[in-house]
Amino acid sequence: MDCFVKNVKEGIVRICRHDNMPENYLERYGIVSAPKPDGTSCVKLGENSVTLKTGRKIEFDIRRKNEIWENEEQLLLQKFKKYIPEKLSIEGRPTGEPIDVQGEADGTESLKKFGISFKLTDEEKFYGLGEGGRDKIQLRGSSYQNWTVYQYNEIPIPFVMSSDNWGIFINAQGRHFVDIDDIRKGYLTVFGNFDELDIFLLYGDSMKQILNLYTDITGKSAVLPKWAYGLTYIAGIHQNQFEILNDMKTFREKNIPCDTISLEPGWMTKFYDYSFEKGWNKEKFHIDSWMRSRDCPYTFPSVLRRYGFHLMLWMCMNYDLCDHEEYLITGKENIPSWYEHIKQFVNDGADGFKIDPSDMVMRINPNKIYSNGKSELEMHNVSQVLVTKQMNLGFCEQMNKRPFIHYCGGYTGQQKWGAATTGDNGGLEGAMIWLENLAMSGFTNATVDMDIYSIEAIHFAFLAPWAHHNAWAGCGQPWYAGDENEKAYIFYARLRYKLIPYIYSLALECHETGVPIIRPMPLEYQNDKNCLELSNQYMLGEYVLLSAFTDKVYLPEGEWIDFWTNKEYKGNTMLEHYVLPEGRGGAFFIKKGAIIPQWCERDYTSQYSDEKTELHFYPCGKSEYTFREDDGESLDYLKNKSCHTKIKCFEEDGKIKICIGEREGYYINKPNRRIWEIYVHGNNKLEVSCANGDEIQIKTVN
């Protein structure tokens, strides 16, 4: 038999070469958890088809052993031949003899291992594949390479889903290709060279449900520390501690909210130090041996903490991370674990790390054999995930709380251990589309390098899942960007911090359901054909619609309020020539029915107690919202220790009635009571009830 098609559980069918598929290194290293069959699925299986409950018959062709689809293969190989990482040795002590796979690295060998094609209907659209799609969110009509390559595709994700409510997770660790109605017309085709055929076909009632199934297999998204959802500012690469502290003082004096200060490689004695002997550059950051403690009040990290800042340190690596994974399984260690040598910097006061992508993502040694006996071409994708996995788990074990690990390389499964930016591709329209494609691939904690010289870029970057400004070199501080840009920067920073309760609640929801913080229009409005190819706008959660780099805005069903002007619009409407007020970089619409928790303005997340929370209501019919919260830093969210408050708003007897339910659940330092400040937009007759005995304060909306 050439392949096996079998029900796994409701929503999942597995198509594989072996009846009992041997684990690959994604599974061996805990990146993928292949589900066990539980007998709940009842879709109809054929030898080359799966018939869903809706009646949709998904037909597929399997490449048989030694069969070659030469035309498609060669065209794909030629297309992606230039997208190969440069060559560089990976440090560590390898075992085994080198093998010559140079031809495969250059893309000149045939794709020998597996191929599968799924027959498509004429109307369905496709989404996902991480950063594979650079210029559009709807992927049909093009082909893609799932292999991590610097600046081209730093986070490929082997998952793609259809608007017809099915998708595939390609359980492949090596380089492979996905052609969606491009070279082989009418089909979604997957070719691979290093893996056995292993496809999880996912199906459900919506694309949101497909994302939930995918993240059941590859892991639900991490919830970052609450402060990480504020602003991260990367200081100038050559600045010293006093220059940076002066900039931080300016942030506070100008009331620019900021929580995280990140240092580039200039903080180290040796610039770009890959060794295990790296240390503080004492000429810039004087941290002597007797000062190396989080409790020492004289150090640069301690000063930052006193003023509400957290410290992130830049790291670079080109290391064999597989050795530590094998040690966890076998108990045999050939080289020290990567995390061991950076523990000292956590002890010094670091709360997170930015790992430079260039050497792990950009360069490979095709003759390299890892300590697990596998080649670089087989382990290149896997290694990207091990970066964040080992940094995250090492920090959690050391500190018993969440770290902030930022790495802009990646692969499937990385969402459960870290955050990412879209790499060194700027912060304009293409970066925005990458954010959307990552969201459609189960990766929510992503952002961009903010371009502070574009108000449009400032607009969407501050309204991404987390906000990130990389000053790096030159005069990159916001107060040097020009008066208009500085004013916009300050406005959007303050707006973001007011919205953090809403954004953080979405982060907890994503961890529970797989539904991302930003929701591309096809995900939130899947049944609206006008939304299926929109790339220049997205939803922030259920209630906020944002656009950038366009003067056209499409408003789906419902009623909408322009947040900038308070003007109301009916849905199912295309605004062809939308004009922004001065100083605004894109549309910001709120859907009527919205319930949005907010904070008062603050300079950093922990400046004030969370006891008081604003609730902004935009009444329309009946609406319900679940406000999620936890302690913001412990690992308890992994045990589902959080608090849910159901809030309802409806009209009855000529009044707007608001019901605030019980705060169900428990977390560390949960407030015994809350003060809810109620803001109702557009109605004066109000009746509020609260099941908790919390204090209610009614505020006037201007």
Side-chain angles (χ1 to χ4, degrees):
M1 193 175 201
D2 289 302
C3 76
F4 293 84
V5 184
K6 51 189 178 182
N7 279 311
V8 177
K9 57 184 292 188
E10 186 63 30
I12 303 178
V13 170
R14 194 170 190 176
I15 305 168
C16 53
R17 184 69 72 189
H18 304 282
D19 189 18
N20 294 306
M21 192 69 185
E23 66 176 9
N24 60 20
Y25 280 87
L26 293 171
E27 296 169 75
R28 180 174 175 83
Y29 294 161
I31 297 167
V32 168
S33 297
K36 304 297 181 184
D38 65 8
T40 59
S41 179
C42 57
V43 295
K44 183 178 179 181
L45 305 183
E47 184 176 349
N48 293 98
S49 67
V50 176
T51 303
L52 305 181
K53 295 176 184 178
T54 59
R56 167 70 191 274
K57 187 175 184 180
I58 301 174
E59 300 177 276
F60 52 87
D61 297 324
I62 303 290
R63 176 164 59 180
R64 309 309 186 199
K65 188 176 181 180
N66 297 325
E67 182 182 1
I68 295 177
W69 297 345
E70 289 191 10
N71 184 52
E72 291 86 356
E73 286 180 0
Q74 295 307 315
L75 287 173
L76 278 172
L77 287 168
Q78 188 62 34
K79 176 177 179 177
F80 292 103
K81 184 175 181 179
K82 65 179 180 178
Y83 300 119
I84 303 295
E86 298 173 8
K87 302 170 185 62
L88 181 76
S89 295
I90 306 299
E91 289 185 0
R93 191 185 327 158
T95 59
E97 292 298 320
I99 58 174
D100 183 9
V101 288
Q102 181 64 47
E104 292 170 343
D106 288 340
T108 58
E109 291 291 311
S110 173
L111 299 177
K112 301 170 183 174
K113 275 291 184 76
F114 75 88
I116 185 170
S117 281
F118 295 88
K119 191 173 183 180
L120 308 180
T121 65
D122 291 339
E123 298 299 322
E124 60 189 318
K125 311 295 183 183
F126 287 88
Y127 310 92
L129 294 180
E131 293 180 352
R134 298 166 56 85
D135 56 357
K136 59 183 180 178
I137 187 171
Q138 198 288 112
L139 304 179
R140 187 166 182 167
S142 297
S143 46
Y144 308 89
Q145 174 182 244
N146 281 334
W147 209 39
T148 309
V149 182
Y150 181 62
Q151 290 192 319
Y152 170 74
N153 187 0
E154 294 179 21
I155 310 178
I157 297 178
F159 163 77
V160 61
M161 60 181 171
S162 164
S163 58
D164 275 3
N165 297 331
W166 66 279
I168 59 170
F169 164 52
I170 307 157
N171 190 19
Q173 63 198 38
R175 181 188 183 208
H176 61 278
F177 303 88
V178 180
D179 171 5
I180 309 177
D181 195 22
D182 179 19
I183 296 171
R184 193 171 198 201
K185 297 298 183 182
Y187 288 87
L188 187 161
T189 302
V190 183
F191 296 100
N193 209 16
F194 297 101
D195 300 89
E196 294 285 356
L197 174 70
D198 192 11
I199 303 289
F200 288 94
L201 190 150
L202 314 173
Y203 61 90
D205 296 327
S206 67
M207 288 196 289
K208 287 183 179 179
Q209 191 172 347
I210 305 303
L211 277 176
N212 193 28
L213 290 166
Y214 165 70
T215 52
D216 279 346
I217 296 172
T218 61
K220 289 293 190 281
S221 176
V223 182
L224 305 178
K226 186 179 287 187
W227 49 264
Y229 291 99
L231 172 63
T232 293
Y233 174 79
I234 297 183
I237 194 169
H238 298 298
Q239 286 185 294
N240 64 34
Q241 59 187 2
F242 298 108
E243 293 166 337
I244 294 171
L245 289 172
N246 187 62
D247 283 347
M248 298 308 96
K249 184 179 179 182
T250 304
F251 268 90
R252 294 293 184 247
E253 289 173 345
K254 288 179 173 286
N255 297 120
I256 305 174
C258 183
D259 267 85
T260 307
I261 304 304
S262 185
L263 303 184
E264 290 291 279
W267 71 270
M268 295 185 289
T269 304
K270 178 183 176 183
F271 202 58
Y272 280 75
D273 191 348
Y274 292 84
S275 77
F276 276 34
E277 286 74 47
K278 60 176 65 74
W280 289 95
N281 183 337
K282 292 183 182 180
E283 292 183 1
K284 293 182 176 181
F285 303 91
H286 190 84
I287 300 179
D288 218 331
S289 57
W290 63 272
M291 304 166 71
R292 303 202 69 173
S293 167
R294 291 180 81 93
D295 298 326
C296 179
Y298 302 104
T299 64
F300 173 72
S302 293
V303 176
L304 289 178
R305 280 200 303 277
R306 280 198 291 277
Y307 292 93
F309 295 102
H310 294 264
L311 177 64
M312 178 177 283
L313 294 179
W314 183 97
M315 292 280 173
C316 54
M317 69 164 73
N318 52 5
Y319 202 67
D320 182 351
L321 298 169
C322 298
D323 189 82
H324 181 65
E325 297 299 317
E326 291 297 321
Y327 164 74
L328 295 175
I329 298 167
T330 67
K332 182 181 178 182
E333 184 176 55
N334 295 311
I335 57 177
S337 73
W338 168 258
Y339 188 80
E340 280 300 311
H341 86 289
I342 63 171
K343 281 184 176 181
Q344 58 184 318
F345 302 110
V346 175
N347 188 56
D348 294 339
D351 290 313
F353 296 92
K354 172 191 173 183
I355 302 94
D356 190 275
S358 58
D359 291 297
M360 291 295 289
V361 173
M362 186 177 182
R363 302 179 179 100
I364 68 167
N365 177 1
N367 294 322
K368 160 73 180 178
I369 300 296
Y370 279 79
S371 56
N372 61 9
K374 296 297 180 180
S375 73
E376 168 68 7
L377 296 179
E378 294 171 281
M379 301 309 297
H380 180 65
N381 285 337
V382 178
S383 293
Q384 311 307 319
V385 191
L386 297 183
V387 173
T388 49
K389 177 190 175 184
Q390 292 181 20
M391 298 283 279
N392 178 295
L393 296 184
F395 187 100
C396 290
E397 182 179 358
Q398 181 180 356
M399 299 298 294
N400 194 32
K401 62 180 181 180
R402 305 172 213 171
F404 186 12
I405 308 299
H406 160 206
Y407 178 55
C408 54
Y411 194 57
T412 187
Q414 183 177 329
Q415 69 273 359
K416 58 188 170 186
W417 289 304
T421 69
T422 55
D424 296 333
N425 71 337
L428 299 175
E429 183 177 1
M432 178 177 167
I433 292 171
W434 264 3
L435 281 191
E436 295 179 78
N437 286 337
L438 285 168
M440 295 294 270
S441 308
F443 197 116
T444 196
N445 289 315
T447 191
V448 302
D449 281 348
M450 186 186 304
D451 187 331
I452 64 171
Y453 301 100
S454 162
I455 293 179
E456 292 94 335
I458 291 171
H459 166 82
F460 93 86
F462 265 117
L463 296 168
W466 59 284
H468 173 251
H469 171 194
N470 188 351
W472 199 68
C475 300
Q477 293 86 341
W479 43 89
Y480 296 141
D483 291 345
E484 289 186 6
N485 291 330
E486 179 191 359
K487 186 177 179 180
Y489 188 102
I490 294 172
F491 170 83
Y492 277 104
R494 290 175 180 170
L495 175 62
R496 178 177 185 85
Y497 272 70
K498 286 182 67 68
L499 290 172
I500 282 179
Y502 179 67
I503 294 169
Y504 189 74
S505 180
L506 289 170
L508 288 167
E509 181 182 355
C510 179
H511 177 73
E512 295 171 10
T513 67
V515 180
I517 294 172
I518 64 167
R519 302 173 185 179
M521 301 306 293
L523 185 65
E524 193 65 23
Y525 291 96
Q526 183 177 341
N527 296 321
D528 187 335
K529 292 184 179 180
N530 295 312
C531 289
L532 294 182
E533 300 199 36
L534 289 178
S535 297
N536 288 99
Q537 63 182 73
Y538 60 78
M539 300 295 297
L540 182 64
E542 179 183 358
Y543 293 131
V544 176
L545 185 153
L546 305 165
S547 78
F549 309 108
T550 181
D551 63 353
K552 294 182 179 180
V553 181
Y554 177 72
L555 302 176
E557 53 83 21
E559 298 178 52
W560 298 84
I561 299 173
D562 188 330
F563 186 71
W564 306 138
T565 66
N566 287 323
K567 185 177 179 180
E568 297 189 12
Y569 295 84
K570 295 290 186 182
N572 298 311
T573 301
M574 175 66 81
L575 306 181
E576 293 284 355
H577 302 288
Y578 177 70
V579 179
L580 287 167
E582 185 177 349
R584 304 296 177 259
F588 187 125
F589 283 85
I590 294 178
K591 188 172 186 179
K592 292 188 73 172
I595 303 169
I596 300 179
Q598 295 186 21
W599 276 339
C600 64
E601 289 193 353
R602 58 186 66 194
D603 293 330
Y604 52 96
T605 54
S606 61
Q607 185 175 15
Y608 305 116
S609 166
D610 285 357
E611 185 179 36
K612 179 183 285 189
T613 300
E614 299 176 6
L615 288 175
H616 288 253
F617 293 84
Y618 299 81
C620 184
K622 295 182 179 180
S623 57
E624 183 176 310
Y625 169 71
T626 300
F627 177 49
R628 294 168 169 85
E629 56 185 328
D630 69 359
D631 63 89
E633 65 176 12
S634 80
L635 303 175
D636 285 350
Y637 82 94
L638 297 170
K639 305 172 187 175
N640 296 317
K641 288 187 178 180
S642 61
C643 185
H644 291 193
T645 304
K646 289 189 177 180
I647 304 168
K648 298 179 181 180
C649 180
F650 56 94
E651 186 172 3
E652 186 175 275
D653 300 328
K655 292 183 178 180
I656 297 298
K657 295 192 175 183
I658 293 170
C659 299
I660 302 174
E662 294 279 355
R663 288 184 286 122
E664 298 178 355
Y666 173 79
Y667 60 86
I668 298 170
N669 298 323
K670 175 185 174 182
N672 292 325
R673 64 192 294 273
R674 272 202 175 278
I675 300 171
W676 301 102
E677 288 191 349
I678 305 298
Y679 295 78
V680 178
H681 297 255
N683 194 292
N684 296 320
K685 296 180 179 180
L686 181 65
E687 183 178 301
V688 181
S689 64
C690 183
N692 297 304
D694 292 345
E695 181 179 340
I696 302 294
Q697 297 179 355
I698 309 298
K699 298 293 182 178
T700 301
V701 179
N702 294 324

